[in-house]
Amino acid sequence: MLFSTSGKPEPSAMNFDLPKLSRRDFLTKSTLGAGLVLGAPSILKAKAAGAPADDIRVGFIGCGKQHEVLFNAMVNIPGIRYVAACDIMKARVGRTYSAIKSRFDYGIERYLNAQEMLDKEELDAVFVATPDFWHAPHTIMALEAGCHVYCEKMMSNSIEGARSMVDAMDRTGKLCQIGHQRRSNPRYRYALNELIQKENLCGQIINVNGQWNRALSASQDIVSKPSILPKADVLREFGFNAGADHKLSEEELRHRFLNWRFYTSLSGGPISDLGAHQIDIFNWFLGAQPKSVMASGGRSYFKDREHFDNVMCIFDYDTPQGNARAFYQVLTTTSSGGGYYESFMGTEGTINISEREAYTKIFKESGADNAKWDKLVQRGLLKKQAAGVAAGGADAIASYESAPPDEYALPGGLSKQPHTPHIENFYAAVRGEAKLTCDARHALESEAPIYWVNPAANSKQIINFTEEHLHT
Amino acid sequence: MYSNDKDPNDLGLTLGMLTLRLWLAIRAIQTGIEKFAGEKSIDSTVVIDGAPNSYGLTEATAGKVYALSNYHGVPAPLMDKFANEPLIPGWGLGIYDAILGPVLIILGLTLLLGLATRFSLFLMGLVYTSLTFGLILIKQDAGVAWLGIHIVMIVMGLALAKYNKFAILHKW
């Protein structure tokens, strides 16, 4: 049978006779020095099944595109044993099985139902990469099954769902990392800790500007062969008819399954899908939550989609340095305008940072202390790139223009895939060697304002945040 | 004939022939070897205040490496252009792509060592003529002119063949 709904393991899969608490406890207790005695039986059994005893046993819930991104980012991390994967689409689970088999030469168990996988498998950690509206249910069921969880952002399609994840993390005492991967990115951590906080490179940050501009070609409907998609009854069982005002046909359900990002009951739309990564950085770098949001959005091109295809919003902050405003735009109809980045604009300098190094630049204001910046270059904290070039020319209005800023760069980059450090941090935390860089509580503190952007755009009203809006 | 070429006694022309052999040999050998060259990115830890940074920031420097896996007889940017030329058969392009590098290295070595110098020069001339044919088709006039200079040098080498010294095999 292709899919192991029977739960019968392959010879290559891990054995099921392991004592319930032994493996997970071993991971923690061995780091505390007590695991060698308490975990001895499980060590022997795990080794007999072909994996080192301290390998982290991993399962996947959701095997679509985002799962592939995560898997490709972790395949070179040592000490991992892939045990099982689940998705309601058989072909996806099959692809995951093949990817692991070809890479590691062992098979995994395959499931169509997450609860069944969690009931039958002995897992230490689970990766949740399902549609947004399934993040909270899947994360909670995995935490309650005794697993540590890495869940993709946004935490949920609703703030209530996100809050329930924080509750489950607290209740179970398990780790729950949310996939805001920039939080573990060395370049972002360095820019915040060393340049902004220690060196006050920007001076007072008064404005923040961020965007993700994505071309129309990348925003089209996702299509697939109907023959490999789940049947209508399966899609109904798994909630893809949520929020519909009529009984959906199989074709409509399949469109929702492939394009759940377009539907308000299944996701938060582009502001959540793309903006969450970057608005998270606003809040993290500023060390504050905004006090209000105003927003505008439109179905300017994709008129039949439930979510806005472009959104612009302004957050107002009171930061430890003073008042600041942050503008963010997400466009799904053009990639012009400089791609995707977050820009922290201060009185002495600006840091344009992006997950893509090509979009990352640092600018020194003409009035900033030259000696200070030169010293930073000498110490290796910055790299000088180019002196600012005055516009000049007949069309320049000299009395209106400021002197152009000199251009600098970060002193180095990331030699791994963007998601890898975040996953490494998760595994290190599972082993008791590190603290999560973005656990569910901190993620929700950062995400909470994002849940109010669409309501602000819909109502065309400024939303002044209260404790009720933002509490975790 | 070989017997007529024996013992020419002009030091200047002998050295001229030797210089031509060296130039053409190095040109061919190194061109062949360069077809196995590629770039490898080497990551080094960024140093701040004289110590490796604690964040894991790295600086990538690209270094040149040689490996069989890097081999491209015909440079990739030109491959597509040749493939679109109706006068170049696809199968022929594939063979040419596979053998060009090794052929240049072998002919360069035979010329350098003096193994059948005249035939080596002639075959080298054919190779450069074939390259000229391809460059004419894709309108690379500068390359055609450059190869023309090579052909002139080869002809000079053949003309000076009777002054060929320091050769392992004088015959052919």
Side-chain angles (χ1 to χ4, degrees), chain A residues 186-187 189-190 193-194 379-380 383 411-413 415, chain B residues 43 46-50 53-59:
Chain A
R187 295 167 59 254
R189 298 180 70 78
Y190 174 82
N193 295 342
E194 300 296 327
R379 290 172 55 201
K383 282 197 295 193
S415 57
Chain B
D43 293 317
V46 170
V47 174
I48 294 171
D49 287 332
N53 79 91
S54 59
Y55 292 87
L57 291 176
T58 58
E59 195 161 25

Side-chain angles (χ1 to χ4, degrees), chain A residues 170-223:
Chain A
D170 291 344
R171 188 170 65 248
T172 60
K174 292 293 170 184
L175 300 169
C176 182
Q177 175 96 311
I178 304 300
H180 292 284
Q181 72 273 2
R182 287 165 177 75
R183 294 250 185 171
S184 299
N185 187 313
R187 295 167 59 254
Y188 277 80
R189 298 180 70 78
Y190 174 82
L192 175 61
N193 295 342
E194 300 296 327
L195 300 182
I196 292 178
Q197 292 182 341
K198 283 189 192 165
E199 301 297 337
N200 194 27
L201 190 80
C202 297
Q204 183 183 347
I205 296 173
I206 294 173
N207 301 103
V208 182
N209 187 19
Q211 67 174 48
W212 195 313
N213 292 357
R214 196 169 66 172
L216 195 61
S217 57
S219 310
Q220 300 299 319
D221 286 23
I222 298 168
V223 294

Side-chain angles (χ1 to χ4, degrees), chain B residues 148-165:
Chain B
I149 294 171
H150 286 57
I151 295 293
V152 171
M153 294 173 79
I154 287 169
V155 173
M156 287 170 64
L158 289 168
L160 294 172
K162 60 185 172 185
Y163 300 100
N164 191 24
K165 299 283 178 68

Side-chain angles (χ1 to χ4, degrees), chain A residues 1-16 57-61 63 81-87 90 92-94 96-98 100-101 106-113 116-118 120-123:
Chain A
M1 185 172 182
L2 185 62
F3 292 92
S4 178
T5 49
S6 69
K8 187 177 179 182
E10 287 187 357
S12 59
M14 301 304 294
N15 80 54
F16 286 83
R57 296 165 57 91
V58 168
F60 295 109
I61 301 178
C63 296
R81 177 79 186 188
Y82 301 102
V83 174
C86 122
D87 195 293
K90 286 181 182 180
R92 287 180 179 167
V93 194
T96 299
Y97 177 91
S98 301
I100 292 169
K101 181 79 177 169
Y106 63 77
I108 58 168
E109 290 302 308
R110 289 160 283 184
Y111 294 91
L112 300 175
N113 183 295
E116 188 183 0
M117 180 181 88
L118 293 167
K120 290 182 175 171
E121 300 293 342
E122 181 81 12
L123 300 168

Side-chain angles (χ1 to χ4, degrees), chain A residues 407-425:
Chain A
E407 191 177 317
Y408 295 75
L410 291 177
L414 174 65
S415 57
K416 302 169 180 175
Q417 294 193 40
H419 290 74
T420 303
H422 206 45
I423 297 170
E424 287 174 333
N425 169 255

Side-chain angles (χ1 to χ4, degrees), chain A residues 436-447:
Chain A
L436 291 179
T437 55
C438 191
D439 68 25
R441 182 173 298 284
H442 286 89
L444 180 51
E445 281 175 11
S446 187
E447 282 189 8

Side-chain angles (χ1 to χ4, degrees), chain A residues 389-404:
Chain A
V389 179
D395 60 338
I397 304 171
S399 59
Y400 294 170
E401 289 192 5
S402 301

Side-chain angles (χ1 to χ4, degrees), chain A residues 2 20 31 53 82 95 102 179 215 269 275 289 336 350 368 402 426 434 450 456 458 466:
Chain A
L2 185 62
K20 274 288 179 194
T31 56
Y82 301 102
R95 274 203 302 271
S102 64
Q289 287 180 301
S336 63
T350 289
S402 301
F426 173 62
I450 303 168
N458 277 320
T466 63

